[in-house]
Amino acid sequence: MPIALRTLLKTPGFTLVAVLALALGIGANTAIFSVVYGVLLKPLPFPDQEKLVLIREWSEQVPGMSVSYPNFLDWRARQQSFTAIGVIRGQSFNLTGGHTAERVAGGLATHDVFAALQAQPLRGRLFTAADDRPGAEPTVLIRESLWQRRFGGSDSAIGATLQLNGRTATVIGVLPDAVRIPSPQAEVWEPLGLSVDQPVYQHRDNHPGLTAVARLKPEVTPDMADREMRDIAAQLAREYPETNTGTSVVLQSLADRVFGDVRPMLFLLLGAAGFVLLIACANVANLQLVRAHGRAREFAIRAALGAGRGRVVRQLIVESLLLGALGCVAGVLLGQWALDALRAVLPVNLPRLDEVELNGWVLAFAAAASVLTSIASGLVPAVHMLKQDLRETLAQGPRSGGGASGNRWRSGLIVAEFALTCVLLVGAGLMLRTLAKLHQADPGFATERIVTFGWDLPREADVDTSARVALLDRVLSRLEALPGVRDVAFVDPLPLAGGYHNSGNQEGYYVEGTPPPDAGRAPSAERIQISGGYFATMQIRLLAGRTFDQRDTERSPKVVIVDEDFVAKNFRAGENPVGRRIAYGSRPPKLPSDWLEIVGVVSHIQNYTIGDPTREQTYIPHTQHRPWSEAFVVRTDLEPAALTSSLRSTMAGIAPDLPIFEVSTMDERFDASISTHRLTMMLLGTFAGLALLLAAVGLYGVLSYSVGQRTREIGVRVALGAQTGDVVGMVVRHGFKLAGVGLLIGIAAALALTRLLRSVLYGVSPFDPASLAAVAVVLTLIAIVACWLPARRAARVDPVTALRAE
């Protein structure tokens, strides 16, 4: 080891370049692996997490449907596969009673959910069956973060009361921060049983946002449980044909549900970082080959003095490992810096984002990566050295030791670098084109200068529809009077809210005069509740009929506005839908008052995230349906940030116990909806840039070495009359040959691999000709630059000096 260290210190330029190349590769991989481990690989905080499954209902129209509560009760009574099965749904709460009202996310859960999770409270106890029934004393579980924020971590929290949505509940337990279900932000859980006497939970054809959580028995596999649950669903379809025909179940592991959306992106980025490490490894191997050639006479002398080949090879491997260790230290430091930068651009909805850190597992990964790259880059010169005749090298003098074998190795490594770089550039190009397409996408509404926020109305049952409508109308009037406000409206759900906050309100529907659909095959549409000024505020185009106005009251006939996709699906071309009637549900309604008359047609909008397909959309007025939770949209002439404080103070003056939440602009929501694509493009582009730099440096190094090795040959050529252009052409052709072969191999590999990007592309083919052409141009320009400098050096060779040096 001391000899290896002294040897490396004698060549500081080589050592610095090699360590820097390894540090770039190891640093990129360390940063990305930190995210992959923290988000995907770190075990969930539940024992035997592989035994935890989530269950939802399935139909041909809605493959991932939430669970009907009566169906869940039958599942729980009939199943034999689970030690426990419960249901949970997302729920937000207005937490009052402190200095200020606070909005907290949480859930409604049956007591079986925590039994299935085997979650252990930090303080107190969990729900029991006695807590989980109508009429029980209201109880609540809180998360550690809320416990610290609200009670300072005191044990006195157990038995204390909280005011949640106007109802007093007793705190009976504190759960660890790691328990984050049904959403990452969840801090409060109430027993679902307190609410199951409400109509939404009583009807078998209602699907009120419930997801089942179950733990498999030790001897039961997921496939066995899936078969049993499908059999139970089939039994229920026979027993309740009107509501359950065509309905089955789908099981999914808890890990797949939590991480499924981000898994492809993170593994894609980890693979891209791996490509950068391979390119760095090839670069260092090339440097080591050049250095080993320069030391060929040294090794020959050692062999003549009795050193065996094994000792020489061991020396090269030790030097390579030492380089790897230095590269690892520098790479970890670079990775920590890169991770800090990465946290700033990671999507805020990334699961377990706060658990991403540089921990022991990440350091072990960095060490393993450095060892593997060191051995790989050190083996190339070592194997080359084994093939050399050291005695012949000693006899030939200091210019020997390269040979055709060494040239082939160096050329092959450059070809590999350019091929890997080409794949990364194609991937980055496709993501750049995707991001451009997403930015150009028309969501169907305007986003400029619109401020949005959420607001929950009082949950008390005695606050009837008329009182809620009056409260909302008062809010609209107060907000419209604010300086700089042009239009105000509200909507439920808000477009582009995404994630847990916008699971959508899908409803089956029936169009008057059409044959009733077969059982289980009713179409479904989005049901969106709005105020009359919503379309004008969001600048959604009215295509036919009218919008909602003062005619649409609680006592007037019910009305609905549908979108162009609804019309295209349910009416013949040229047929006027205005004046026709529909009903929510799969059959003609029993009561005349349940019919809704179509009074208008509007354009279709992107209701979830940009690029995601959405069902046909229907809109109902808040004046005819009981409003609960609304998102306000405010169009302003001011800068949106200047309006935020006015909105908060105005809403606090109207209802101090009903806090507003998730205040943002519509532009910010648009950007958030494409944040995953933007992150993927940024990181792929960064990795491609690093790869391009390393490949260019590698090609430059090989050509520079080639020029130095062929100095005498070039001198002879010039002496015999070769012109500057001839010498430059000779060097450039050699470089272009290497780069061209690498480009061809890289394009072939890219065509095979970019199909893996299909799920994250939008409006772009994985075989996009424009991206491939752009990559070819970029690599060609880089090759020209990398070739030109050594070519100029070759053209300046003085034949007399070159021959005298020989």
Side-chain angles (χ1 to χ4, degrees):
M1 182 68 74
I3 296 174
L5 182 59
R6 285 198 300 272
T7 303
L8 292 177
L9 291 176
K10 287 179 182 177
T11 53
F14 159 79
T15 303
L16 180 62
V17 172
V19 168
L20 182 59
L22 289 174
L24 288 174
I26 292 171
N29 279 268
T30 299
I32 293 298
F33 184 76
S34 298
V35 179
V36 171
Y37 179 80
V39 173
L40 297 182
L41 304 182
K42 186 177 180 180
L44 293 169
F46 309 116
D48 301 320
Q49 69 177 50
E50 68 279 359
K51 287 292 184 180
L52 287 170
V53 296
L54 301 182
I55 311 172
R56 291 174 73 83
E57 296 196 68
W58 178 95
S59 73
E60 187 176 331
Q61 288 71 36
V62 189
M65 192 163 45
S66 64
V67 179
S68 159
Y69 187 73
N71 285 346
F72 159 70
L73 295 179
D74 287 324
W75 293 357
R76 184 167 62 181
R78 302 183 190 190
Q79 65 83 21
Q80 299 295 321
S81 297
F82 309 113
T83 59
I85 178 172
V87 287
I88 191 169
R89 62 163 290 177
Q91 174 70 60
S92 293
F93 300 90
N94 291 328
L95 175 58
T96 56
H99 296 296
T100 58
E102 183 181 359
R103 176 75 172 188
V104 293
L108 304 179
T110 61
H111 68 283
D112 321 78
V113 166
F114 299 101
L117 295 174
Q118 293 184 2
Q120 298 300 319
L122 296 175
R123 298 288 189 276
R125 64 176 179 87
L126 301 175
F127 297 140
T128 66
D131 301 311
D132 189 23
R133 57 182 177 78
E137 189 70 24
T139 55
V140 65
L141 294 170
I142 63 175
R143 202 173 87 188
E144 184 180 358
S145 57
L146 182 60
W147 177 47
Q148 293 289 346
R149 188 167 72 249
R150 202 78 177 185
F151 298 100
S154 170
D155 289 345
S156 63
I158 306 302
T161 59
L162 292 177
Q163 294 290 319
L164 297 171
N165 290 339
R167 181 168 61 182
T168 301
T170 302
V171 177
I172 61 169
V174 178
L175 291 174
D177 271 339
V179 178
R180 303 181 180 189
I181 187 171
S183 77
Q185 297 80 25
E187 291 188 300
V188 175
W189 295 267
E190 277 191 349
L192 179 67
L194 295 175
S195 307
V196 296
D197 54 351
Q198 296 176 7
V200 68
Y201 296 108
Q202 295 298 307
H203 300 297
R204 196 173 289 270
D205 57 352
N206 278 346
H207 297 267
L210 299 174
T211 297
V213 182
R215 177 173 290 274
L216 296 167
K217 291 180 177 178
E219 69 278 8
V220 176
T221 66
D223 286 342
M224 294 166 61
D226 184 64
R227 286 194 295 271
E228 184 195 39
M229 292 303 296
R230 288 176 185 272
D231 289 343
I232 294 174
Q235 294 171 15
L236 295 176
R238 290 191 293 270
E239 295 171 19
Y240 307 99
E242 187 171 339
T243 58
N244 285 49
T245 298
T247 300
S248 186
V249 299
V250 57
L251 269 70
Q252 185 180 30
S253 73
L254 178 62
D256 284 346
R257 176 64 182 274
V258 173
F259 310 129
D261 291 341
V262 299
R263 220 180 235 141
M265 176 196 73
L266 291 181
F267 281 133
L268 169 68
L269 295 176
L270 187 60
F275 273 28
V276 173
L277 188 59
L278 286 174
I279 294 170
C281 181
N283 232 325
V284 174
N286 239 332
L287 288 170
Q288 299 240 56
L289 267 174
V290 172
R291 185 164 171 269
H293 166 58
R295 299 172 64 192
R297 185 172 175 80
E298 171 198 336
F299 295 142
I301 293 173
R302 288 192 181 190
L305 294 176
R309 288 179 180 271
R311 188 168 182 178
V312 174
V313 170
R314 189 163 60 250
Q315 169 83 15
L316 289 171
I317 295 295
V318 170
E319 290 177 10
S320 185
L321 287 171
L322 187 55
L323 281 175
L326 295 172
C328 180
V329 173
V332 168
L333 295 175
L334 188 62
Q336 179 62 67
W337 174 83
L339 184 59
D340 292 340
L342 197 55
R343 286 195 188 97
V345 297
L346 286 171
V348 294
N349 59 349
L350 190 70
R352 305 204 289 182
L353 178 59
D354 58 337
E355 298 182 40
V356 173
E357 60 182 357
L358 209 65
N359 57 25
W361 286 105
V362 176
L363 294 177
F365 169 83
S370 69
V371 170
L372 290 175
T373 52
S374 300
I375 293 175
S377 60
L379 278 177
V380 173
V383 170
H384 175 60
M385 187 58 60
L386 285 173
K387 293 181 178 181
Q388 282 192 235
D389 186 337
L390 297 180
R391 292 183 181 178
E392 183 182 343
T393 299
L394 185 60
Q396 290 178 352
R399 289 285 183 185
S400 66
S405 175
N407 288 333
R408 284 195 299 270
W409 274 102
R410 284 185 287 274
S411 298
L413 288 170
I414 288 300
V415 168
E417 287 185 48
F418 264 79
L420 292 172
T421 302
C422 179
V423 173
L424 285 179
L425 282 172
V426 170
L430 290 174
M431 290 309 302
L432 181 61
R433 294 259 294 157
T434 289
L435 194 62
K437 293 282 187 180
L438 286 170
H439 273 294
Q440 295 167 5
D442 180 11
F445 53 85
T447 61
E448 299 83 4
R449 295 185 180 274
I450 294 181
V451 181
T452 71
F453 63 87
W455 195 57
D456 260 4
L457 277 72
R459 294 274 171 169
E460 294 85 348
D462 57 350
V463 181
D464 60 19
T465 299
S466 298
R468 293 172 185 275
V469 170
L471 176 60
L472 286 169
D473 289 343
R474 188 162 72 252
V475 171
L476 289 177
S477 298
R478 292 283 297 276
L479 293 180
E480 286 172 346
L482 290 177
V485 171
R486 291 176 56 189
D487 296 296
V488 181
F490 51 81
V491 58
D492 177 32
L494 179 69
L496 303 185
Y500 294 97
H501 302 289
N502 186 16
S503 57
N505 299 321
Q506 294 92 30
E507 290 280 353
Y509 64 86
Y510 169 75
V511 178
E512 185 181 23
T514 62
D518 295 335
R521 302 186 67 86
S524 64
E526 302 291 337
R527 188 187 66 177
I528 305 167
Q529 188 179 72
I530 63 171
S531 62
Y534 176 70
F535 298 123
T537 303
M538 297 294 287
Q539 297 183 8
I540 297 172
R541 290 180 297 123
L542 180 67
L543 304 179
R546 65 173 178 89
T547 59
F548 301 134
D549 55 31
Q550 65 277 5
R551 288 171 284 180
D552 307 313
T553 67
E554 187 177 2
R555 293 179 176 81
S556 65
K558 291 181 179 178
V559 295
V560 64
I561 293 173
V562 299
D563 77 338
E564 56 190 324
D565 285 13
F566 186 98
V567 173
K569 183 172 182 177
N570 295 283
F571 298 96
R572 293 187 300 272
E575 185 177 1
N576 184 11
V578 175
R580 298 286 298 274
R581 296 196 301 176
I582 70 169
Y584 290 116
S586 59
R587 293 289 184 275
K590 297 178 181 178
L591 298 176
S593 59
D594 288 337
W595 284 106
L596 296 87
E597 180 185 349
I598 298 174
V599 296
V601 179
V602 295
S603 58
H604 183 77
I605 68 168
Q606 291 284 319
N607 210 34
Y608 294 138
T609 57
I610 300 299
D612 282 353
T614 56
R615 295 180 182 85
E616 53 266 36
Q617 294 150 2
T618 64
Y619 297 86
I620 55 176
H622 75 288
T623 52
Q624 295 184 335
H625 303 267
R626 188 178 179 87
W628 287 98
S629 177
E630 303 293 349
F632 281 78
V633 288
V634 182
R635 178 175 294 280
T636 175
D637 291 325
L638 306 174
E639 283 299 320
L643 187 64
T644 301
S645 60
S646 298
L647 293 176
R648 290 187 182 279
S649 59
T650 299
M651 297 301 292
I654 296 173
D657 288 343
L658 301 177
I660 67 174
F661 52 93
E662 296 181 357
V663 181
S664 66
T665 67
M666 191 56 73
D667 280 330
E668 289 170 342
R669 292 190 179 277
F670 184 95
D671 289 342
S673 73
I674 60 175
S675 59
T676 299
H677 292 85
R678 184 186 299 107
L679 174 67
T680 306
M681 186 278 295
M682 287 172 54
L683 293 181
L684 275 180
T686 301
F687 295 151
L690 289 175
L692 200 58
L693 175 64
L694 291 170
V697 169
L699 179 60
Y700 168 78
V702 164
L703 292 179
S704 293
Y705 171 75
S706 176
V707 168
Q709 191 179 34
R710 300 172 67 181
T711 298
R712 187 173 187 276
E713 174 196 341
I714 293 171
V716 171
R717 288 176 180 267
V718 173
L720 294 176
Q723 300 299 310
T724 299
D726 298 327
V727 176
V728 170
M730 178 185 69
V731 176
V732 170
R733 278 194 301 273
H734 179 51
F736 262 45
K737 179 180 177 182
L738 298 180
V741 172
L743 177 60
L744 291 176
I745 295 175
I747 288 178
L751 291 175
L753 293 175
T754 50
R755 65 188 64 198
L756 301 177
L757 289 172
R758 192 184 300 272
S759 63
V760 295
L761 297 180
Y762 173 78
V764 180
S765 166
F767 315 113
D768 179 46
S771 298
L772 295 174
V775 168
V777 170
V778 169
L779 282 177
T780 300
L781 292 175
I782 291 297
I784 289 173
V785 174
C787 295
W788 177 250
L789 297 176
R792 287 184 61 198
R793 176 186 162 196
R796 293 174 180 176
V797 169
D798 182 353
V800 176
T801 304
L803 293 173
R804 184 182 297 127
E806 290 295 327

